[in-house]
């Protein structure tokens, strides 16, 4: 009988300390849908003549 009362006391102490688990969050509440821009935005455009401005090359930096 002492094991049951000890378990009840421990369960009551856990409940008093932690309360209950938080409510579950639905997947629909965690995701957001947005319409994509039709042209892909400015970042999606590629300019081959100006690409050298955005990338670094160690050989060019060293003058090799």
């Amino acid at each position: 009988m002492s094991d049951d009362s000890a378990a009840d006391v421990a369960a009551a102490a856990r409940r008093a300390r932690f309360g209950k688990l938080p409510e579950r969050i639905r997947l629909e509440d965690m995701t957001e849908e947005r319409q994509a821009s039709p042209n892909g935005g400015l970042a999606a455009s590629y300019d081959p003549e100006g690409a050298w401005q955005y990338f670094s090359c160690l050989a060019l930096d060293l003058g090799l």
Side-chain angles (χ1 to χ4, degrees):
M1 293 301 278
S2 66
D3 291 335
D4 291 336
S5 65
D8 292 339
V9 170
R14 275 193 307 275
R15 224 174 283 115
R17 180 174 179 191
F18 298 110
K20 63 178 185 172
L21 293 175
E23 298 293 324
R24 283 191 172 250
I25 301 173
R26 299 180 319 166
L27 180 63
E28 295 83 19
D29 295 337
M30 292 189 290
T31 57
E32 178 181 354
E33 293 182 12
R34 291 190 198 172
Q35 182 70 26
S37 61
N39 63 355
L42 296 175
S45 63
Y46 175 69
D47 179 21
E49 294 174 357
W52 65 271
Q53 297 174 348
Y54 303 108
F55 299 102
S56 176
C57 176
L58 182 60
L60 289 175
D61 290 343
L62 296 175
L64 301 177

